[in-house]
Amino acid sequence: MCGIVGYIGSKPVKEILIDGLRELEYRGYDSAGIAVLQNHQFSLFKAVGKLINLEEKAQSYESTGFSVGIGHTRWATHGKPTELNAHPHVGQNSYVVHNGIIENYQELKAMLTSKGVQFLSQTDTEVIVHLFEYHLKTSPTPFDAFTKTLEELEGAYAILLVNASADNTIFFAKHGSPMILGRNREGETLFGSSDAALIGKCNEVIYLEDGHYGFASSDTVALFDSKNVSIALNFTPLSENKLSAQKEGFRFFMEKEIYEQSTVLSDTLMGRLHDETVYFEELDSSLFTGISEIKLCACGTSYHAALTASYLFERHSRIKTSVEIASEFRYREPLLTPDTLFVVISQSGETADTLESLKMAKKAGLKTLVICNVDNSSMVRLADASILTRAGIEKGVASTKAFATQVAVLWMLSLFIAHERSTLTPSDLAHQIKILRSIPSIVKVDVTLHEQLRRLSKRYLHGHGFFFIGRDVFFPLALEGALKLKEISYLHAEGYPSGEMKHGPIALADPELFTIALLPQHKLYDKTKSNVEELSARDSTICSISPLDFDKADDHIRTHMHDDYMQEFFEMMVVLQLLSMEIAVRLGNDVDMPRNLAKSVTVE
Ligand code: AGP
């Protein structure tokens, strides 16, 4: 996803900007650029692809003395990843970098075009710089023009803008996308869309809030709130230790990654949801021509996302779907027919078994698609098409936000195919999209619930095992809950379809066998409840997770009432992640790097 840096000071500006952008590389990007303003003159460099390409373009540029600079890594949303679409975007005497989406850019562009403004790019961002210059003609100062510009923008943004007539100044604004202002003991001011870009360069920062805007120059910073009231600069110290700073105050990367699911899911959905359709810029609908079956293939958590998707694909897209564990698929001499779309799912894009399965499918002449979190990974390079999950780098070995974003992408894909095949009515599609839009707010961690789970965890540190049970998509979620617990607590846990317990596993039931029961209100509640009652009757200790009271539960984790089972799915996912983490913490385990596991399994 896009990244922003800014700098005001006298050090070599190019190196500072590119170094800051490098710290944001993990977010993923497909082009990059910097603009430097020195003595009323601009220097601009842009390149498609990795930062090395930008460095090559700017190789001969060197700065001495005071300058201001802005830089950007772009992850294409409006318009292809080309140099023209890369930021900074240029007006006549101004440059801008922007993260987010300007929702009313088409109206603004039409207005500016009617005034004779010429646009160079296909981006929404370019309207900002032209709108600013339009207002500059009638404003007493560049800052007035900047303020008027902000008043007309709708959508989400973090913006840095520079203008030649104010050659020691950066104008900034934050509304919905992150922006941090930092300074150091040498009197330099920096900006970053994440503090990763500022660590080691600043000793104190202000995490700007929505509606904050202002300007920073060589000797002053002015900050205003959304009511245009000047506000005090409340700097907070910035850790100089990269690793602990990257945890942003959380105890573990896993905890941080659970908490940031709301933000990354917004990124996953960004630009992909229209009123009655789902849009994937990276997909050509010809991928589905001649396809009558989908085969999903993955390992571990990604396999659980695939299994979840198989319910959604058959339900929404009415297309025959099967799911394969990659390590099994490779050696079972599968029958592959050309009417099958082969979809691999992988956080890393490097898992050996999944990669080899993808190669097999390609060799058999199947069309292939990868759902992946890492651009340019082996699978992304190999598959015919790819959809990125936009989860950002995941450091905890136990996958959390990667799973959440995989399920969201697969759910959107089921709707994309449903639209292609006309298997859902427009109103059903609109309903699904409405539910999807609600997911980022549903996964926001409720700190009271987190505290309840922390307290509850002390009752689940012993026993001879856990059953996680559920039906429909709550079965793969149960598998995922059990895997999370196993990975970091080293306790024995199994996921089961709840209706399957009576066919054998129920023999294990006794008070030392803990059942974690997923009881959603909107999917087979009564059926699942009967299965849990059967376990309760055999004295298993029951921990139910449900918005509805359950009188047979020993412990009850109450989730919110929702309109749809997928909303319940995502809320229960967070509960399971936090519960596993708190159990592992009490057992004194290394949550981020559990024993025997690797983040990316590149061997068979
Ligand atoms: C999940 O918590 C695990 N770390 C593991 O199961 C993982 O999902 C699996 O190894 C597949 O990895 P991938 O998504 O990178 O292909």
Side-chain angles (χ1 to χ4, degrees), residues 299-302 345-349 351 354 379 397-399 406 483-484 487 598-599 601:
C299 301
T301 288
S302 300
I345 299 145
S346 174
Q347 186 283 130
S348 61
T351 302
T354 315
M379 288 183 219
V397 165
S399 188
Q406 285 169 343
L483 180 65
K484 283 294 83 79
E487 284 186 296
K599 184 68 188 160
V601 186

Short mmCIF file of all heavy atoms in Angstrom, two decimals, residues 299-302 345-349 351 354 379 397-399 406 483-484 487 598-599 601, ligand 1:
data_model
loop_
_atom_site.label_atom_id
_atom_site.label_comp_id
_atom_site.label_asym_id
_atom_site.label_seq_id
_atom_site.Cartn_x
_atom_site.Cartn_y
_atom_site.Cartn_z
N CYS A 299 -1.98 -24.45 2.18
CA CYS A 299 -1.51 -25.14 3.39
C CYS A 299 -1.92 -24.33 4.63
O CYS A 299 -2.02 -23.11 4.57
CB CYS A 299 0.02 -25.20 3.44
SG CYS A 299 0.75 -26.05 2.06
N GLY A 300 -2.05 -25.03 5.76
CA GLY A 300 -2.22 -24.39 7.07
C GLY A 300 -3.38 -23.42 7.11
O GLY A 300 -4.50 -23.71 6.66
N THR A 301 -3.10 -22.23 7.64
CA THR A 301 -4.14 -21.21 7.77
C THR A 301 -4.74 -20.85 6.41
O THR A 301 -5.95 -20.65 6.28
CB THR A 301 -3.53 -19.96 8.44
OG1 THR A 301 -3.30 -20.29 9.80
CG2 THR A 301 -4.42 -18.75 8.33
N SER A 302 -3.89 -20.81 5.39
CA SER A 302 -4.40 -20.46 4.05
C SER A 302 -5.38 -21.54 3.56
O SER A 302 -6.34 -21.24 2.84
CB SER A 302 -3.24 -20.32 3.07
OG SER A 302 -2.38 -19.29 3.51
N ILE A 345 -3.71 -20.24 -2.54
CA ILE A 345 -3.81 -19.18 -1.53
C ILE A 345 -2.58 -19.28 -0.65
O ILE A 345 -2.26 -20.37 -0.15
CB ILE A 345 -5.09 -19.35 -0.70
CG1 ILE A 345 -6.30 -19.26 -1.63
CG2 ILE A 345 -5.19 -18.30 0.40
CD1 ILE A 345 -7.41 -20.15 -1.25
N SER A 346 -1.87 -18.17 -0.51
CA SER A 346 -0.65 -18.21 0.29
C SER A 346 -0.33 -16.82 0.79
O SER A 346 -0.30 -15.87 0.00
CB SER A 346 0.50 -18.74 -0.58
OG SER A 346 1.71 -18.66 0.13
N GLN A 347 -0.08 -16.69 2.08
CA GLN A 347 0.35 -15.40 2.63
C GLN A 347 1.67 -15.00 1.99
O GLN A 347 1.82 -13.91 1.48
CB GLN A 347 0.47 -15.52 4.16
CG GLN A 347 0.77 -14.22 4.90
CD GLN A 347 2.20 -13.75 4.81
OE1 GLN A 347 2.44 -12.58 4.48
NE2 GLN A 347 3.16 -14.60 5.06
N SER A 348 2.63 -15.92 2.03
CA SER A 348 4.00 -15.60 1.61
C SER A 348 4.22 -15.68 0.11
O SER A 348 5.09 -15.02 -0.44
CB SER A 348 4.97 -16.57 2.28
OG SER A 348 4.65 -17.90 1.87
N GLY A 349 3.46 -16.56 -0.54
CA GLY A 349 3.71 -16.80 -1.97
C GLY A 349 4.92 -17.66 -2.22
O GLY A 349 5.37 -17.81 -3.37
N THR A 351 5.49 -20.81 -0.14
CA THR A 351 5.34 -22.14 0.49
C THR A 351 5.58 -23.23 -0.56
O THR A 351 4.90 -23.28 -1.59
CB THR A 351 3.94 -22.25 1.10
OG1 THR A 351 3.81 -21.19 2.04
CG2 THR A 351 3.73 -23.58 1.81
N THR A 354 2.65 -25.50 -1.91
CA THR A 354 1.65 -24.75 -2.70
C THR A 354 2.26 -24.33 -4.04
O THR A 354 1.60 -24.42 -5.09
CB THR A 354 1.16 -23.53 -1.90
OG1 THR A 354 0.90 -23.93 -0.55
CG2 THR A 354 -0.08 -22.93 -2.50
N MET A 379 4.90 -17.25 -6.34
CA MET A 379 3.56 -17.62 -6.85
C MET A 379 2.95 -16.50 -7.68
O MET A 379 2.31 -16.76 -8.71
CB MET A 379 2.63 -17.99 -5.69
CG MET A 379 2.97 -19.32 -5.06
SD MET A 379 1.80 -19.74 -3.76
CE MET A 379 2.91 -20.47 -2.56
N VAL A 397 4.51 -15.52 13.65
CA VAL A 397 4.47 -16.78 12.90
C VAL A 397 3.03 -17.28 12.81
O VAL A 397 2.60 -17.81 11.78
CB VAL A 397 5.41 -17.83 13.56
CG1 VAL A 397 5.12 -19.22 13.03
CG2 VAL A 397 6.86 -17.45 13.27
N ALA A 398 2.27 -17.09 13.88
CA ALA A 398 0.86 -17.49 13.85
C ALA A 398 0.09 -16.45 13.06
O ALA A 398 -0.04 -15.29 13.46
CB ALA A 398 0.32 -17.61 15.26
N SER A 399 -0.44 -16.88 11.95
CA SER A 399 -1.08 -15.96 11.02
C SER A 399 -2.42 -15.45 11.57
O SER A 399 -3.22 -16.23 12.07
CB SER A 399 -1.30 -16.72 9.72
OG SER A 399 -1.74 -15.87 8.73
N GLN A 406 -7.37 -12.82 3.57
CA GLN A 406 -7.61 -13.88 2.57
C GLN A 406 -9.11 -14.17 2.47
O GLN A 406 -9.67 -14.27 1.37
CB GLN A 406 -6.89 -15.18 2.98
CG GLN A 406 -5.39 -15.14 2.77
CD GLN A 406 -4.68 -16.32 3.44
OE1 GLN A 406 -5.23 -16.99 4.31
NE2 GLN A 406 -3.45 -16.57 3.03
N LEU A 483 -5.84 -24.47 15.30
CA LEU A 483 -4.45 -24.34 14.83
C LEU A 483 -3.74 -23.20 15.58
O LEU A 483 -2.58 -23.34 16.00
CB LEU A 483 -4.42 -24.08 13.32
CG LEU A 483 -3.03 -23.92 12.70
CD1 LEU A 483 -2.23 -25.22 12.80
CD2 LEU A 483 -3.10 -23.49 11.24
N LYS A 484 -4.45 -22.08 15.76
CA LYS A 484 -3.83 -20.95 16.48
C LYS A 484 -3.40 -21.39 17.87
O LYS A 484 -2.29 -21.12 18.31
CB LYS A 484 -4.82 -19.77 16.63
CG LYS A 484 -5.08 -18.89 15.45
CD LYS A 484 -3.94 -18.07 14.96
CE LYS A 484 -3.01 -18.82 14.06
NZ LYS A 484 -3.31 -19.04 12.70
N GLU A 487 -0.40 -23.84 17.80
CA GLU A 487 0.87 -23.24 17.38
C GLU A 487 1.58 -22.50 18.51
O GLU A 487 2.79 -22.56 18.62
CB GLU A 487 0.62 -22.22 16.24
CG GLU A 487 0.34 -22.84 14.91
CD GLU A 487 0.26 -21.77 13.81
OE1 GLU A 487 -0.67 -20.92 13.88
OE2 GLU A 487 1.11 -21.77 12.92
N ALA A 598 8.27 -22.09 11.34
CA ALA A 598 8.88 -21.02 10.53
C ALA A 598 7.76 -20.23 9.87
O ALA A 598 6.68 -20.76 9.62
CB ALA A 598 9.77 -21.62 9.46
N LYS A 599 8.03 -18.97 9.60
CA LYS A 599 6.99 -18.13 8.98
C LYS A 599 6.70 -18.58 7.55
O LYS A 599 5.56 -18.60 7.12
CB LYS A 599 7.44 -16.66 9.02
CG LYS A 599 6.41 -15.69 8.49
CD LYS A 599 5.19 -15.61 9.40
CE LYS A 599 4.06 -14.80 8.81
NZ LYS A 599 2.77 -15.12 9.43
N VAL A 601 7.34 -21.63 4.87
CA VAL A 601 7.83 -23.02 4.81
C VAL A 601 8.23 -23.34 3.37
O VAL A 601 7.40 -23.76 2.56
CB VAL A 601 6.74 -23.99 5.33
CG1 VAL A 601 7.28 -25.41 5.41
CG2 VAL A 601 6.27 -23.55 6.71
C1 AGP B 1 -0.42 -20.22 10.26
O1 AGP B 1 -0.53 -19.67 11.51
C2 AGP B 1 0.84 -20.90 9.97
N1 AGP B 1 1.97 -20.13 10.24
C3 AGP B 1 0.89 -21.76 8.71
O2 AGP B 1 -0.14 -22.70 8.82
C4 AGP B 1 0.78 -21.08 7.34
O3 AGP B 1 -0.51 -20.60 7.14
C5 AGP B 1 1.16 -22.09 6.24
O4 AGP B 1 2.49 -22.47 6.42
C6 AGP B 1 0.95 -21.56 4.85
O5 AGP B 1 1.72 -20.43 4.62
P1 AGP B 1 1.45 -19.48 3.38
O6 AGP B 1 0.10 -18.88 3.57
O7 AGP B 1 2.55 -18.47 3.42
O8 AGP B 1 1.50 -20.33 2.15
#
